[in-house]
């Protein structure tokens, strides 16, 4: 090949690389949520929804921050329990876990898991588990999810329950644990830091 052709090819490749770097899939940003007591890394600008969950005759505040990038929905759900509601934490967490696990037709003991850890704001590393769920197929489209639950006691003796997840919807799938080990997914989970 001649030098002018190689130069043009180099310019085209550089331009293609720059365009791919501008795609929303690569637009990672740290999102601070001081009201919900965490910071995390999202692959795009998330939308925030606030609502109140009716639970055992009480209204429990929940926020959801989520962003859809191609076939994936990255989300963080935060439920706040005041000190007079903290006794509800374990049963509420069981219900949240049960809802998702039932959809995947597994239980906590039978689900595919991996030991993981997260870093709190004070830089302390704490252990947790990631769950890899595969939902029943409805035909050509299949769904899988990586999800992590974290419960944190607040200084005022309340609690936060966090659900960090990525839902993938696509026609073809490899096993969820293998699929979600890619760096784009690991970054999202590794960079979630509760206070």
């Amino acid at each position: 090949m001649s030098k002018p052709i190689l130069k043009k090819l180099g310019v085209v490749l550089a331009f293609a690389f720059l365009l791919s770097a501008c795609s929303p899939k690569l637009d990672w940003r740290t999102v601070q949520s001081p009201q919900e007591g965490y910071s995390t890394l999202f692959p795009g600008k998330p939308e925030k929804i606030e609502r109140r969950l009716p639970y055992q005759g009480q209204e429990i505040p929940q926020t959801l921050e989520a962003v859809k990038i191609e076939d994936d929905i990255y989300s963080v759900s935060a439920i706040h329990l005041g000190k007079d509601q903290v006794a509800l934490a374990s049963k509420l967490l069981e219900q949240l876990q049960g809802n998702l696990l039932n959809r995947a037709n597994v239980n906590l003991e039978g689900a595919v898991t991996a030991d993981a850890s997260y870093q709190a704001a004070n830089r302390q590393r704490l252990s947790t588990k990631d769950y890899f769920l595969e939902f029943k197929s409805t035909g050509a489209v299949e769904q899988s999810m990586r999800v992590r639950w974290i419960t944190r006691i607040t200084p005022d003796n309340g609690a936060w329950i966090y659900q960090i997840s990525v839902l993938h919807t696509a026609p073809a799938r490899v096993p969820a644990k293998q699929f979600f080990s890619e760096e784009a997914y690991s970054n999202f989970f590794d960079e979630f830091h509760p206070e």
Side-chain angles (χ1 to χ4, degrees), residues 91-177:
K91 289 293 183 190
L92 183 56
L93 179 59
E94 279 180 31
Q95 184 175 332
L96 293 171
Q97 292 171 329
N99 290 343
L100 270 180
L101 295 169
N102 287 340
R103 280 191 51 223
N105 201 26
V106 295
N107 58 30
L108 275 177
E109 295 77 31
V112 176
T113 64
D115 290 331
S117 65
Y118 65 94
Q119 183 175 314
N122 64 3
R123 302 208 181 277
Q124 181 182 12
R125 293 215 65 80
L126 302 164
S127 59
T128 188
K129 263 192 195 314
D130 286 350
Y131 293 82
F132 300 89
L133 309 176
E134 296 182 3
F135 300 104
K136 293 177 188 172
S137 174
T138 57
V141 176
E142 298 179 349
Q143 292 183 325
S144 58
M145 176 183 271
R146 178 177 175 182
V147 62
R148 174 183 295 176
W149 290 281
I150 296 172
T151 302
R152 299 281 294 164
I153 301 300
T154 62
D156 65 353
N157 295 320
W160 283 102
I161 299 174
Y162 299 108
Q163 178 178 298
I164 304 97
S165 63
V166 179
L167 175 66
H168 179 75
T169 304
R173 180 198 305 149
V174 296
K177 189 171 182 178

